[in-house]
Amino acid sequence: MTANLWFLRAVVAAFSGVAGIVVLRRVGVTSRRRELALIGAVPAIAGCSPPLLLPTAVPLVLFGVSAAIVDFAEYRVPNRLSATFFVSLMALIACTAMFSGTPEMLLRGVVGGVAWAVLLLASFVLSRHPGPGDVKLAPSLGLLAGAAGWPAIGAAIVFSYLIAGIQALAIVVLRPEQRRIPLAPAMVGGTVLAIALTPLAD
């Protein structure tokens, strides 16, 4: 990894961490522990993002990780976070695809976003699970996974449910009185893991 790329990752991480805390405070999540959780996620996201998709780490932290933290704390995903996440991510990926000469990146992203949205919407209609906030978050994460490569779409979904299963088991053991399980943290974590393990397609 070149020195310039290290520097760029550091700038993205620093900006995302500071701006992410501002976003959390704007949506009313002011706990120091939750802010530290966001800061802790920043290096992993900035470090795992492929160079071509590094700019997308900013909205992922600001809106995706923030949404996951809010969901974990309050069992909700604010509409303004999911909407801003999608719009900013779509703009970044479209610009990256255009200027890098990789139009298929945008196609994969759209397919990924639609696939994950349809899957969670169908589940919500049939079983009322997951919640509507998770359904609204799905297009953005599917878009990001698809931009990384076709394999990342399926991997992100599989990893998300695996992480959710582990999370559910931990809650049953540590907090048996808790009945609700937030899915957004697992969705974000599964997407980051899938992107980290998928070589960026041309």
Side-chain angles (χ1 to χ4, degrees):
M1 186 181 298
T2 66
N4 287 340
L5 184 55
W6 274 113
F7 176 75
L8 184 58
R9 290 189 189 280
V11 170
V12 168
F15 175 78
S16 299
V18 173
I21 290 174
V22 173
V23 170
L24 282 179
R25 292 179 178 179
R26 293 278 293 180
V27 296
V29 180
T30 57
S31 164
R32 181 61 59 85
R33 182 176 58 184
R34 294 163 192 168
E35 292 176 357
L36 289 175
L38 182 141
I39 293 174
V42 168
I45 291 174
C48 291
S49 298
L52 197 58
L53 290 179
L54 186 55
T56 64
V58 176
L60 176 56
V61 171
L62 266 60
F63 311 117
V65 174
S66 294
I69 291 173
V70 173
D71 191 35
F72 188 81
E74 303 177 1
Y75 306 107
R76 67 185 180 93
V77 176
N79 287 335
R80 54 181 166 170
L81 288 184
S82 53
T84 310
F85 188 22
F86 181 80
V87 171
S88 58
L89 203 56
M90 176 63 81
L92 278 173
I93 290 175
C95 289
T96 300
M98 179 175 63
F99 289 112
S100 65
T102 55
E104 189 182 346
M105 175 185 290
L106 182 58
L107 172 63
R108 292 194 311 265
V110 171
V111 171
V114 170
W116 207 348
V118 169
L119 175 65
L120 264 64
L121 180 60
S123 177
F124 175 74
V125 170
L126 294 174
S127 65
R128 293 300 170 185
H129 296 289
D134 301 317
V135 176
K136 295 172 187 176
L137 191 61
S140 301
L141 296 173
L143 176 66
L144 184 56
W150 293 114
I153 299 173
I157 296 172
V158 171
F159 288 150
S160 296
Y161 279 100
L162 286 175
I163 294 172
I166 295 171
Q167 179 181 313
L169 181 61
I171 288 175
V172 168
V173 173
L174 300 175
R175 297 181 180 178
E177 74 283 357
Q178 184 172 327
R179 293 292 179 264
R180 301 177 65 182
I181 300 173
L183 185 58
M187 292 171 64
V188 172
T191 302
V192 172
L193 183 58
I195 292 172
L197 297 177
T198 302
L200 187 64
D202 294 328

